Amino acid sequence: MFKLLKYAKRYRFFALISPVLMIGEVIFELLIPQVMADIVETINGISVSGNKEEAVSTIIMLGVKMLGLAVCSLFCGASAAITASFAGMGFGAEIRNALIRKVQTFSFSNIDRFSTASLITRTTTDVTTVQNTFLMLIRGLFRAPIMLVVALTICIKKSAEVSSVFAVSLPIMIIALAIAGPIALKRFRAMLKMFDEFNASIQENFANIRVVKSFVRSSHEKKKFKKANDDLMNAAIYAEKIIILGEPALMLLMFLTILSILVISTKAIAEQTLAVGEFTAIFTYIMQILMSFLFTILMLAQLFMSEASAKRIHEVLKEEPDIKDPENPIESVSDGSIEFKDVSFAYAKGKDVLDGISFKIESGEMVGIMGATGSAKSSLVQLIPRLYDVDGGEVLVAGKNVKSYSLEALRESVSMVLQKNVLFSGTIAENLRWGNENATDEELKRACRIADADSFVEAFPDGYNTDLGQGGVNVSGGQKQRLCIARAILKKPKILILDDSTSAVDTATDARIREGLRKEIPDTTKIIIAQRISSVSDCDKIVLLEGGKINDIGTHDELIERNEIYRDIFNSQQKGSADFDLQGGAV
Ligand SMILES: Nc1ncnc2c1ncn2[C@@H]1O[C@H](COP(=O)(O)OP(=O)(O)OP(=O)(O)O)[C@@H](O)[C@H]1O
Ligand SMILES: [Mg+2]
């Protein structure tokens, strides 16, 4: 928690002024019982002196004094609460900002490590918990302990006999809390983990609601959600139980304390060692002592509980991005040539996904990558824009190791259409401009022409201003793929990577897109990953992957000639998808 305090820096004025105002409130509040005691004593005095008039004017004076003190206390209290809110809310907002900024620097493997759901819980639930604690601390950190100490001192001064009860009851309460606290903390940590799982369940379900519905998996998903929800509820009950049981126990102790004090005070009043007026003041102070004690405990409990959240936030903030700019990075990529030199790569240690990969691509070439699903095609190309870093060997772009470029320069030059690509809510034009904010309308149209997207975009009544809906739901799968390609082209990259990006378009369109790429951006290196041989057959060379290793490299004709696997795939695709593929393939 204390490590996070630096995020309160901008709001330190509010965070510091608030406790000062609080202290003012406490002082005024503590003076009131004394005035009250004076009033009671004055009333008591009437029967002795019989001077009613003087007593009434004294009481009115004292009443005005009490009102004044109450107004001052109210003013300080209200301003303290307002300034505390400013500080607390600002603190929360700063942490959320820092978290979002940090996550933006994460590489794919950093994100793999935390999971998206957990990052969401940490940015929302955890930050709210820490923010509330901070707010409570500003409000109570000085107020409750000062109130406790001052009220206790006054009480002891007024009657040591009555105050002696605290010597027994306060230590008992503290010991009970010291035992219950750590148990509660452990249970709250477990509950937060359940929260992660719960969020993961909701996130997956809502994000993929269409898949869930089309597979009629609603009832399965409901069951899965119910389990996550029940688990969370049980963990929460288990954690709360200790508080639910602790609260009445604490109350009991407090009432026993009050009862003992009443018994002792009654005896003292009867023996005339304590005046009635003094007793009213002492009793008010005692209530203040108990309330501040209770508040201090609540504050400590909240501090303990938010420790788990603070730790989870801190974990994200201190995570070092795996992939960073080098010192003195190269700021521009001179051409689109690529070389893999004995590259190996693993997502998890010891399980190599790619092994001994070496090949070269000249600038401006069009290269196909083929292989069965899971043969590590996507893994291979992700190493070029450094979405992941190699474990062995090196990847060179324009003759220099990719690690020597600034990430921005490298990723500006390497445009990749990911296999699982998405569009965002907004218009088509807005989505395309993700590739290049300053692109002119003419450039948008050109990119769409190359990606064979211009005709269907222009057929929409609103053309480029058509709203895509969340996640781009308003276009078909093939249309979405073509928009993603256009978006990547708009970046005017040196290297363009299409990872299975034409799987949802028919072969004729597929061929038109390749034709467009070849003609319109001849200097850009183009890497095309595909499942269909027709998508790569006209490439300058084709890399055939098998189980994370290179099986063969050559042109379509060479591979047909010498590579049995390639020939088998070709033959099966010729037969399997005869009518459509052959038609398209002929274009
Ligand atoms: N983020 C990841 N974390 C861990 N393992 C992964 C990850 N992504 C892929 N893998 C594993 O790496 C291997 C290669 O996957 P990759 O996605 O590169 O294959 P692919 O050839 O692109 O397959 P496809 O044709 O289905 O797209 C697979 O065994 C897969 O399980
Ligand atoms: Mg893939």
Side-chain angles (χ1 to χ4, degrees):
M1 178 80 195
F2 294 105
K3 283 186 185 139
L4 294 177
L5 279 185
K6 65 174 182 210
Y7 295 101
K9 223 166 154 189
R10 256 181 72 188
Y11 298 89
R12 61 175 174 252
F13 172 72
F14 292 120
L16 293 177
I17 195 87
S18 181
V20 174
L21 289 165
M22 273 322 155
I23 293 173
E25 187 197 2
V26 171
I27 292 171
F28 290 122
E29 214 171 293
L30 282 169
L31 288 174
I32 293 174
Q34 189 52 56
V35 182
M36 189 74 194
D38 292 345
I39 292 177
V40 175
E41 281 305 297
T42 316
I43 295 170
N44 253 351
I46 297 176
S47 53
V48 182
S49 70
N51 191 346
K52 235 181 188 176
E53 263 166 44
E54 198 189 314
V56 169
S57 69
T58 318
I59 289 174
I60 291 175
M61 274 259 302
L62 287 171
V64 171
K65 191 174 164 193
M66 200 156 112
L67 190 69
L69 289 173
V71 169
C72 288
S73 163
L74 180 75
F75 173 76
C76 287
S79 343
I82 293 171
T83 43
S85 293
F86 271 126
M89 297 305 153
F91 175 63
E94 285 284 303
I95 299 183
R96 272 192 294 272
N97 252 335
L99 280 169
I100 299 289
R101 272 201 304 269
K102 187 76 193 194
V103 173
Q104 297 300 325
T105 68
F106 279 6
S107 71
F108 280 30
S109 53
N110 289 116
I111 295 169
D112 287 350
R113 206 153 36 239
F114 280 106
S115 91
T116 312
S118 174
L119 285 174
I120 293 176
T121 320
R122 286 167 205 244
T123 325
T124 52
T125 315
D126 286 328
V127 174
T128 309
T129 311
V130 168
Q131 172 181 304
N132 287 342
T133 308
F134 182 70
L135 202 58
M136 199 166 176
L137 279 182
I138 314 182
R139 285 198 186 144
L141 187 63
F142 296 109
R143 189 182 195 281
I146 289 181
M147 192 90 153
L148 186 69
V149 172
V150 177
L152 200 58
T153 319
I154 299 178
C155 243
I156 294 171
K157 241 171 93 184
K158 283 192 185 292
S159 168
E161 197 187 350
V162 175
S163 313
S164 63
V165 176
F166 286 119
V168 183
S169 71
L170 287 186
I172 295 181
M173 291 193 226
I174 291 171
I175 291 170
L177 285 165
I179 297 170
I183 303 175
L185 183 62
K186 216 172 107 197
R187 294 184 184 183
F188 269 94
R189 282 211 179 117
M191 185 185 90
L192 279 173
K193 238 180 126 220
M194 291 292 167
F195 233 115
D196 273 357
E197 275 159 40
F198 172 79
N199 271 358
S201 167
I202 302 188
Q203 193 210 0
E204 211 169 42
N205 188 310
F206 286 1
N208 304 311
I209 189 88
R210 284 156 210 273
V211 184
V212 173
K213 289 213 169 293
S214 64
F215 276 85
V216 204
R217 292 283 283 179
S218 291
S219 67
H220 173 265
E221 282 297 311
K222 268 189 240 160
K223 260 190 232 148
K224 207 171 89 184
F225 173 76
K226 188 172 180 311
K227 186 175 177 311
N229 200 12
D230 285 350
D231 285 350
L232 176 63
M233 186 182 78
N234 291 334
I237 291 176
Y238 189 56
E240 292 284 345
K241 226 185 235 167
I242 201 144
I243 293 182
I244 293 165
L245 290 178
E247 237 173 51
L250 202 64
M251 280 299 167
L252 184 70
L253 275 171
M254 283 177 70
F255 285 126
L256 282 178
T257 311
I258 295 174
L259 194 65
S260 321
I261 286 170
L262 283 178
V263 171
I264 297 176
S265 311
T266 318
K267 220 174 112 224
I269 292 172
E271 285 167 6
Q272 295 201 331
T273 48
L274 186 69
V276 178
E278 283 296 278
F279 168 71
T280 53
I282 289 184
F283 196 74
T284 316
Y285 286 125
I286 283 167
M287 289 316 280
Q288 279 171 346
I289 292 172
L290 289 176
M291 283 304 139
S292 348
F293 183 72
L294 198 67
F295 194 82
T296 311
I297 307 250
L298 279 178
M299 214 163 56
L300 286 178
Q302 172 89 18
L303 189 65
F304 269 127
M305 275 178 248
S306 65
E307 198 49 40
S309 289
K311 200 166 154 230
R312 286 156 50 89
I313 294 173
H314 195 241
E315 268 170 11
V316 179
L317 290 175
K318 74 164 199 275
E319 172 89 357
E320 279 293 314
D322 284 340
I323 295 177
K324 282 193 290 201
D325 275 350
E327 269 176 46
N328 309 320
I330 305 172
E331 291 295 349
S332 75
V333 177
S334 59
D335 65 55
S337 66
I338 303 166
E339 186 175 358
F340 279 73
K341 273 189 182 167
D342 195 24
V343 167
S344 61
F345 169 72
Y347 288 103
K349 273 213 159 38
K351 276 199 248 164
D352 268 0
V353 171
L354 286 165
D355 186 25
I357 303 285
S358 297
F359 67 95
K360 248 176 130 164
I361 299 172
E362 300 301 333
S363 192
E365 270 188 328
M366 190 187 279
V367 178
I369 298 183
M370 288 214 69
T373 69
S375 58
K377 304 182 292 294
S378 301
S379 308
L380 178 81
V381 293
Q382 281 174 9
L383 302 175
I384 304 171
R386 281 190 82 192
L387 297 180
Y388 289 91
D389 264 343
V390 296
D391 289 310
E394 52 180 358
V395 179
L396 309 180
V397 165
K400 301 196 177 74
N401 193 322
V402 283
K403 290 181 185 171
S404 58
Y405 291 103
S406 81
L407 280 175
E408 199 181 334
L410 181 70
R411 290 182 187 164
E412 276 300 311
S413 305
V414 183
S415 195
M416 181 156 166
V417 180
L418 294 171
Q419 193 167 11
K420 293 176 219 153
N421 223 315
V422 283
L423 293 170
F424 293 83
S425 40
T427 64
I428 291 182
E430 280 164 5
N431 265 279
L432 292 174
R433 286 206 170 93
W434 266 64
N436 176 1
E437 272 175 60
N438 307 317
T440 60
D441 288 349
E442 257 330 293
E443 283 171 318
L444 285 191
K445 282 185 189 150
R446 177 173 174 263
C448 283
R449 210 167 44 239
I450 302 174
D452 201 40
D454 55 337
S455 49
F456 81 80
V457 172
E458 273 153 25
F460 287 136
D462 292 331
Y464 286 87
N465 293 323
T466 305
D467 190 40
L468 283 179
Q470 198 178 11
V473 287
N474 295 347
V475 282
S476 76
Q479 290 172 338
K480 188 170 162 186
Q481 284 190 330
R482 280 180 275 169
L483 287 177
C484 288
I485 297 175
R487 181 171 66 179
I489 293 173
L490 212 55
K491 260 171 87 172
K492 297 195 181 126
K494 298 247 164 35
I495 298 169
L496 176 69
I497 303 171
L498 306 182
D499 188 352
D500 221 3
S501 308
T502 52
S503 57
V505 302
D506 58 83
T507 3
T509 312
D510 193 7
R512 268 203 305 277
I513 295 173
R514 278 197 315 283
E515 180 73 15
L517 292 178
R518 199 183 282 281
K519 274 208 190 123
E520 301 271 350
I521 45 171
D523 299 331
T524 301
T525 308
K526 295 154 284 271
I527 300 181
I528 298 172
I529 297 182
Q531 302 285 355
R532 282 187 306 223
I533 285 197
S534 64
S535 303
V536 294
S537 54
D538 52 357
C539 284
D540 298 316
K541 61 178 164 231
I542 298 161
V543 178
L544 189 60
L545 281 178
E546 196 195 2
K549 290 194 173 67
I550 292 183
N551 176 285
D552 207 345
I553 300 181
T555 61
H556 173 71
D557 292 338
E558 285 166 3
L559 292 179
I560 285 281
E561 180 77 27
R562 66 166 183 245
N563 193 296
E564 204 177 328
I565 302 177
Y566 191 81
R567 208 165 38 235
D568 282 349
I569 303 172
F570 181 68
N571 288 335
S572 69
Q573 287 189 353
Q574 293 289 56
K575 273 188 234 137
S577 48
D579 53 340
F580 213 82
D581 256 58
L582 274 184
Q583 257 182 29
V587 175

